[in-house]
Every structure is written in structure tokens, then in C-alpha cells.
Amino acid sequence: MTMFKKSFPNILLSGVVYYSQHSLAQAAAADKNNEVKVIFERMATDVLAFRDEMERVYNARCETGTLTQCANTNFNDCSSTLSSQQCMKADELVVSTCGDGNTCNALWDKSLSTVSIPAALAQAPLANPSDPEIIESACYSRLAEQYMVDKYKKDEEYW
């Protein structure tokens, strides 16, 4: 009986430590689960908002303004005419069909988004696409740019 009395505090202490660790682990797991749940809820909300924006953009694809803005757009990195275009340096980007790696290697305007079309789909003059569906998709998808820029700025700190 004396041995039991001496070891009982140790057993009790071990039980308390085990229970505390187990409870802390459960609490930490619950916190992580809640954090994951919040992230998934935010992602679901973001996906639905993006869907709504893309529906809006798709519905605006045939509006005169959309078509007018896109009428003279060029999709070629070597010959595009953009408002703030610049020659890319070899340490930034080399498009072998545009330059030799030493001189102007591609024309890019870093202040706006562009659509790049694979050469196989860009068979019209100035390496533009000729398929009306590709042209339409490239033109109307540009309408989502401001939404994506604003969303990125709003969420940058969170993600």
C-alpha cells in the first residue's frame, strides 16, 4: 500500500499530462479544421463570384464596345502594336522567332494583359488568329481583366 501511495501522485500527474496533451492536440486539430473550413468556404465564394463575372463577360461578348476595343488588336509577340510596348531583354524573355537573344527579343507591354495564340492557330496576317471563335474568346475574355486585377489586389494579403 505504501508503494501505491508514493507512485499514485506520479500516475496522477502522468494522467493529467497525457489528458492535457491530448486535449491540446484535439484543440489544435479543431483549430486547423476550422481554419481549413474557412479557407474552403472562401474559395467556394470566390469561385462562384468568378463564375458570375465570367457569365457577365460572356453576355457582353457581342456588344459594340467589346468588338470595337478588340478590332485592331494583334496577338503576336513580335509585331504587336501596344501603347506601352518595349523590347524584352535577353535576361527577361527570348522568343526565338522575334530576336536573336541579343537585340529585341519580343514586344511586350507590361501594363496590360494580352492573349498569346499558338502559331498553329495564328495563320492570318501579322500572325493573328483567323478562327472567329478564337478571336471572339480572346476579345471578350479581356473584359474580365479588371475584375481579376481588383480581386488579386483585394486578396493578395490573405493568400
Side-chain angles (χ1 to χ4, degrees):
M1 187 93 147
T2 318
M3 184 137 172
F4 178 75
K5 286 184 181 180
K6 287 184 181 178
S7 63
F8 181 73
N10 291 337
I11 293 171
L12 182 61
L13 182 60
S14 297
V16 168
V17 168
Y18 171 79
Y19 179 75
S20 297
Q21 288 175 339
H22 185 68
S23 295
L24 289 173
Q26 283 182 325
D31 285 347
K32 287 291 182 193
N33 286 339
N34 287 334
E35 185 178 339
V36 169
K37 183 179 177 183
V38 167
I39 289 170
F40 277 118
E41 287 171 353
R42 184 166 182 160
M43 289 172 62
T45 301
D46 288 351
V47 167
L48 293 174
F50 184 68
R51 177 210 55 198
D52 294 345
E53 177 62 14
M54 292 311 293
E55 284 179 0
R56 183 198 67 79
V57 164
Y58 183 78
N59 289 329
R61 74 190 183 286
C62 296
E63 291 178 2
T64 305
T66 302
L67 300 174
T68 303
Q69 286 177 342
C70 197
N72 297 318
T73 302
N74 187 301
F75 305 97
N76 186 291
D77 289 334
C78 300
S79 61
S80 294
T81 304
L82 304 168
S83 59
S84 299
Q85 70 186 20
Q86 59 185 355
C87 287
M88 299 301 289
K89 297 175 188 170
D91 64 340
E92 294 178 299
L93 173 71
V94 174
V95 177
S96 59
T97 56
C98 298
D100 59 9
N102 297 314
T103 58
C104 188
N105 298 295
L107 294 170
W108 274 26
D109 185 338
K110 294 180 180 180
S111 67
L112 55 89
S113 296
T114 58
V115 177
S116 297
I117 306 293
L121 300 175
Q123 300 299 319
L126 296 174
N128 280 309
S130 56
D131 183 329
E133 287 186 32
I134 293 173
I135 295 168
E136 179 184 286
S137 296
C139 287
Y140 83 76
S141 65
R142 295 177 66 227
L143 298 174
E145 178 180 12
Q146 193 59 54
Y147 170 85
M148 290 186 278
V149 168
D150 293 345
K151 183 71 173 147
Y152 174 80
K153 286 178 182 176
K154 180 181 169 191
D155 292 351
E156 184 177 20
E157 201 171 304
Y158 179 81
W159 295 109

